[in-house]
Amino acid sequence: MNSFIQRSNAPDDHMMWQRFIAGEVAAFNDLMSSQFRSLFHYGSKFSRDREFVKDSIQDLFLLLWERRERLRDDVILKPYLMASLRRLMHRKSDLKARIEMEEFKGQEAPFELQFSVEQHYIEEESTLLLAENLKKLLNDLPPRQKEVVYLKYYQELDRSQIAEIMEVSPQTVSNLLQIALKHLKTHWRAEFLTFFLLHFLV
Amino acid sequence: MDRYKKYGVEDFVWDIAFRQWVLAPTREDETLWTAWLIENPERKHKVDQARQIVSALRIEEQPLEDQEIRDVIADSLSKINNTERYEVTTLPLVKRFYSSIWFKMAASIVILIGVGLYVKSYYSSLINPSYQAAGVPETEIVIEKVNSDDQDMLVQLPDQSTVTLSPGSKIRYVKEFTHTKRDVTLIGEAFFDVAKDPHRSFFVYANELITKVLGTSFRVKAYPSTSEVTVEVKTGRVSVFAKSDPELHSKLTKRELEGLVLTPNQKVTFMREAVKMVKTLVESPEMVLPKSQLPHFVFEDIPASEAFAKIGKAYGIDIIYDEAVLRDCPLTAELDSQPLNEKLSILCKAVEADYEIVDGQIIIHSRGCK
């Protein structure tokens, strides 16, 4: 029912990774097949260029394969691959700018993510309005807060994993998350009140 | 579960345990929450609302076809299988070599030189900050070659392609090309002789223009100060497109040559201001056939159509004419020494025709000889 939520690593992830490190070509195939779609979804948050995202995932797997003898065998696959892909994509776009002799603009990395409301889950009009309001608040979050919320609630990663992926300290993760949730809750509550006030007045 | 007694909808929505119960409930979750709701009936409406919102709020994902995934995986597998074969053939040799005394001696010398170079590069990096950083993989070390001499400079690229860099020009590339692409950026003018590698397209970025080839030779002129960028092909086929092309990425990644394709002796001029590309012929086309196959252009009373066909083939240029009209124009001429434009002028004069160059092709206009 909720295909975008993966609560825990599949039990055979660890086995697959061991076989990959051991140099089994079949494991390369299995690993890439099982991880490609979710990595593509994640990578799409950093670039709208789907071919660039696909290329980056391919580069990632080829790189891991090349260096497999030096890789740790006890990694938790999902956050490990996400962190590697994020780093690789940022490096690639940075390098691309340098090779093409464009001036590096040092801007904040984008994190583009749009939430939507699937109406068939909603029974009442008032709930729909609430959901739409929350959607808008989520869509308007600044990139880093959005990424934290995404990794925490939609990828179900823990604080240290998020810190590793975003290359910040665990404390920063907690702070970002707190700011984001506080913003979401207070503004949402305010919208609530206006909504009910309007409801009673009209 | 006491904390939930004061929860509003907004608190439930961002509660991990609550979300797990909604999105992927276990039997324990189910029992726990059902019991809690019976004890706290006044929270039921809030829980219902929160549950619907958690289920309904989705992330919009880009669609991805299964076939696309299969294609990338197949391509990756072919790449790792290629390197695999390479490793198998070199490995035994290396192993034996490791243990030999010569290897150990050589290794110590290499280490000494390595330390020396490191120290040298460390000091030079203090003076001249370069892109090179310690620990960066070779595919990310950017090399820049500048020709500040007044003669052409020969640059060998990591894939054995060669670049003849004109004075005052510079190129950039990475120390080791990746598995998927070979990228070079040019400012100024250079002649490229690209090593064949069907798996890795070769790209030249020059001002607003991108030239894509698989293996061939061509010249690019892209000075920052001039209003035009040109690409001239000597051998093989290249495709050219603007950086602003809306389908840029697909053109960059597909193996096929798309966009404006140039064949030998053709030239494209990109007008930077007008953002317009014009295909024409190079100034002095050269014959493309190997020396042994070069024909003699001695025509004795043959149809003009045959003469044009022969010339077109030798230069690798499409000559378009009306076969039915020119078949009846007999021609006698000896044209071995003249350049192409003179050959064409002489032929046209003889059969009362004109020629023009359109879109990199030659078009013969004739009213016939009857």
Side-chain angles (χ1 to χ4, degrees), chain A residues 7 37 50-51 99 189, chain B residues 10 20 24 66 68 185 249:
Chain A
R7 274 177 74 171
R37 187 175 295 276
R50 55 187 288 118
E51 297 302 325
I99 293 231
R189 207 177 288 137
Chain B
E10 73 278 14
Q20 291 195 346
D66 286 342
E68 289 181 80
T185 300
H249 205 94

Side-chain angles (χ1 to χ4, degrees), chain A residues 3 18 37 75-76 140 185 188-189 200:
Chain A
S3 57
Q18 301 264 332
R37 187 175 295 276
V75 296
I76 300 169
D140 291 345
K185 287 181 180 178
W188 204 28
R189 207 177 288 137
F200 286 119

Side-chain angles (χ1 to χ4, degrees), chain B residues 289-295 313:
Chain B
L289 292 175
K291 276 227 169 67
S292 58
Q293 292 174 29
L294 283 186
K313 193 172 168 233

Side-chain angles (χ1 to χ4, degrees), chain B residues 122-240:
Chain B
Y122 175 73
Y123 281 107
S124 63
S125 72
L126 288 180
I127 306 159
N128 175 19
S130 71
Y131 288 104
Q132 194 162 335
V136 173
E138 307 234 307
T139 48
E140 292 178 19
I141 298 175
V142 178
I143 294 180
E144 178 172 290
K145 299 270 179 182
V146 183
N147 185 2
S148 44
D149 203 1
D150 55 2
Q151 286 175 13
D152 284 352
M153 173 172 145
L154 194 68
V155 178
Q156 182 116 38
L157 299 181
D159 65 335
Q160 302 307 313
S161 297
T162 57
V163 181
T164 312
L165 198 58
S166 297
S169 304
K170 65 177 171 183
I171 55 168
R172 271 194 197 171
Y173 53 95
V174 286
K175 194 166 176 197
E176 191 69 59
F177 290 125
T178 62
H179 293 291
T180 42
K181 275 168 90 192
R182 298 177 282 173
D183 286 338
V184 173
T185 300
L186 167 73
I187 292 182
E189 178 177 349
F191 180 77
F192 292 87
D193 199 344
V194 175
K196 274 217 166 59
D197 186 346
H199 291 291
R200 290 189 296 182
S201 301
F202 187 99
F203 295 92
V204 179
Y205 293 82
N207 289 343
E208 299 87 349
L209 216 58
I210 301 172
T211 307
K212 172 182 179 178
V213 305
L214 298 173
T216 168
S217 58
F218 58 99
R219 173 175 297 278
V220 179
K221 278 189 208 176
Y223 290 102
S225 52
T226 54
S227 59
E228 294 177 350
V229 186
T230 63
V231 179
E232 300 180 11
V233 177
K234 189 162 180 223
T235 62
R237 285 152 58 86
V238 315
S239 87
V240 179

